[in-house]
Amino acid sequence: MDVPFLNVREGNARYADELKAAAARVIDSGWYVLGDELDGFEREFAAYCGVRHAVGVGNGLDALSLILRGYKELGALEEGDEVIVPGNTFIASFLAITENRLVAVPVEPDPASFNMDPVCVEAAIGPRTRAIMAVHLYGQLADMPALAALARRYKLLLIEDAAQAHGAMSVGRKAGAFGDAAAFSFFPTKNLGALGDGGAVVTDNALLAKRIAALRNYGSDVKYHHLFQGLNSRLDEMQAALLRVKLRYLDADIAWRRRVAYRYREGILHSHIELPAVAREEQHAWHLFVVRCPYRDALKHHLQAHGIQSQVHYPIPPHRQPAYACLREIHLPLTEQLHDEILSLPMGPTLSDDAADRVIEACRRFECHA
């Protein structure tokens, strides 16, 4: 494609010398797991998010799962408890709930932002509800003040799935600093992406952070002393060192993403292409720029014919996946319609103005036939 969806290689090439120096530092240290690089990254990422604690783990799914597991170990959750989750999310949000033997209760999104609708959340609260999992979809913060008010009123945990929202911000607070705990993914395509897999939990709860730090390391707080039946999910020294480099550039990268998004929102004028709604510009980190079109597949093919790559995030909602056949009786019409109509346009910190203009022009020239 002349205009790729995201050029990860080009993005990393900007800091190649620093990344190579960080990698060499780890190689020369002779210490590759649970060392100084991880300690440094955890301190720096916690400070960036505006929280007291960060715990590096193997990936974003483990981050979400370990939050729930940590709360189970602390007695705040037990098997069979319900967690309210958006119906339109990546399947990892559901997997973290069900692998802890909790019950996922999917709800419809707000039709403008595609994020969790507090009205639908409140309607879904029942006697076994113990937590709300707010997903900051595509990089835009969910309505955290409203969700926090519900969590307080009903004495529920509020967990942020911030896998797509590194750097999203509102009223001086960043994603990860609104709920009781938050999970991040550092998959290579994320706004803050490693050169492999990785994730982190952030929280102000020292007891939860300590519990998760033990759980990620075979349930051990001291070598060969195992307090819990844990797992092996540790952000390794190499990825931590590389992430420390990239964290320094995250805000600048997000500023460029916002520049691209602004061009798109000003330039894409088409009666059948609905642009994303934004509550406040500073809220959105623009991990993805997702439009809605009733002729989505035709639009995708049209862009491809003009050398422009696009993607669908996501074609099938979790409750319609074979993995969750147990939820087949649930009907979420707005969620299901969105998954038939959404399309992600090229977005990234190295997307040039010329490339963005090509996307805009191609979208404006799209001809759809009912």
Side-chain angles (χ1 to χ4, degrees), residues 105-124:
V105 179
V107 296
E108 291 275 54
D110 171 74
S113 70
F114 305 162
N115 267 327
M116 202 171 222
D117 186 341
V119 174
C120 295
V121 171
E122 185 166 22

Side-chain angles (χ1 to χ4, degrees), residues 83-89 94 97 103-109 116 120-121 124 317-320 327 330-332 335:
V83 179
I84 297 174
V85 64
N88 60 318
T89 183
F94 279 59
I97 296 168
V103 178
V105 179
V107 296
E108 291 275 54
M116 202 171 222
C120 295
V121 171
H319 74 287
R320 286 290 177 260
L327 300 178
I330 292 176
H331 186 43
L332 301 173
T335 291

Side-chain angles (χ1 to χ4, degrees), residues 209-225:
K210 185 177 180 180
R211 192 61 51 96
I212 290 172
L215 286 168
R216 73 174 175 186
N217 188 35
Y218 300 97
S220 172
D221 61 343
V222 177
K223 193 170 185 178
Y224 300 133
H225 180 220

Side-chain angles (χ1 to χ4, degrees), residues 171-350:
V171 294
R173 299 169 70 188
K174 286 191 172 77
F178 292 90
D180 295 295
F184 287 88
S185 165
F186 303 127
F187 189 75
T189 59
K190 302 298 185 185
N191 286 20
L192 179 60
L195 274 68
D197 228 332
V201 173
V202 301
T203 182
D204 281 326
N205 186 326
L207 189 57
L208 178 67
K210 185 177 180 180
R211 192 61 51 96
I212 290 172
L215 286 168
R216 73 174 175 186
N217 188 35
Y218 300 97
S220 172
D221 61 343
V222 177
K223 193 170 185 178
Y224 300 133
H225 180 220
H226 302 274
L227 300 172
F228 317 102
Q229 296 178 22
L231 65 155
N232 177 10
S233 180
R234 303 170 297 201
L235 182 65
D236 67 66
E237 287 289 281
M238 185 66 75
Q239 299 303 336
L242 300 174
L243 286 165
R244 295 180 78 181
V245 172
K246 298 185 74 174
L247 180 59
R248 297 197 289 268
Y249 298 96
L250 178 56
D251 284 342
D253 283 355
I254 291 171
W256 188 265
R257 288 173 178 270
R258 287 177 176 147
R259 174 190 172 96
V260 173
Y262 179 81
R263 293 178 77 89
Y264 281 169
R265 294 174 66 221
E266 289 294 304
I268 298 176
L269 305 173
H270 196 290
S271 59
H272 291 296
I273 300 176
E274 182 179 335
L275 300 175
V278 181
R280 287 181 292 275
E281 289 292 340
E282 72 273 15
Q283 275 194 317
H284 213 315
W286 294 108
H287 171 58
L288 299 171
F289 189 96
V290 180
V291 300
R292 186 175 175 185
C293 178
Y295 310 100
R296 188 265 311 283
D297 293 343
L299 175 59
K300 183 174 175 59
H301 292 145
H302 168 78
L303 293 174
Q304 185 175 4
H306 285 76
I308 298 167
Q309 187 179 37
S310 60
Q311 293 190 17
V312 178
H313 296 87
Y314 305 96
I316 306 173
H319 74 287
R320 286 290 177 260
Q321 297 281 359
Y324 284 102
C326 58
L327 300 178
R328 61 182 176 272
E329 299 302 324
I330 292 176
H331 186 43
L332 301 173
L334 177 55
T335 291
E336 291 154 19
Q337 184 178 5
L338 286 176
H339 282 253
D340 288 338
E341 296 182 354
I342 52 179
L343 185 68
S344 301
L345 302 183
M347 170 58 72
T350 63

Side-chain angles (χ1 to χ4, degrees), residues 95-150:
L95 291 171
I97 296 168
T98 56
E99 74 175 20
N100 278 287
R101 298 185 181 180
L102 303 169
V103 178
V105 179
V107 296
E108 291 275 54
D110 171 74
S113 70
F114 305 162
N115 267 327
M116 202 171 222
D117 186 341
V119 174
C120 295
V121 171
E122 185 166 22
I125 295 173
R128 291 303 302 270
T129 306
R130 296 292 180 270
I132 300 168
M133 182 180 288
V135 180
H136 303 316
L137 198 64
Y138 310 144
Q140 181 167 211
L141 292 173
D143 188 348
M144 296 309 290
L147 294 174
L150 286 176

